[in-house]
Amino acid sequence: SHAVNVVPGRDYVIRLDAFGDQLRAYLEGRLLFERTDASHPQGNSGMTTFKAHAEFEGFVAYQP
C-alpha cells in the first residue's frame, strides 16, 4: 500500500478492479495496492465514503 496525500478540491481518477478474488486499486493510473480476498464472491457495486465528503462523477461498473 502507498500513502496518498489528498488535496481538497482536486479531482482524482480512481479505478477499482475485482476479478474473482483478485482486487486492485489505482489512483491516477498508478497501482496503489493488489490483494486476494475471496470473502465476497458476488454482489453489487457503488461508491461511498467514511468520515469524508466526496463528489462522484462518471461512475461506471461493468462485467467483463
Side-chain angles (χ1 to χ4, degrees):
S1 297
H2 302 292
V4 176
N5 293 322
V6 176
V7 178
R10 179 171 176 221
D11 292 340
Y12 294 92
V13 176
I14 299 169
R15 175 178 152 194
L16 305 172
D17 292 344
F19 297 102
D21 64 354
Q22 299 298 306
L23 309 174
R24 293 181 190 91
Y26 299 85
L27 177 65
E28 300 295 332
R30 188 179 105 214
L31 180 65
L32 288 180
F33 66 84
E34 183 173 16
R35 301 288 186 269
T36 301
D37 183 347
S39 64
H40 300 288
Q42 59 185 334
N44 296 317
S45 60
M47 302 299 293
T48 188
T49 63
F50 178 72
K51 294 186 178 181
H53 169 80
E55 294 179 21
F56 301 103
E57 180 180 317
F59 175 77
V60 177
Y62 66 93
Q63 182 176 353

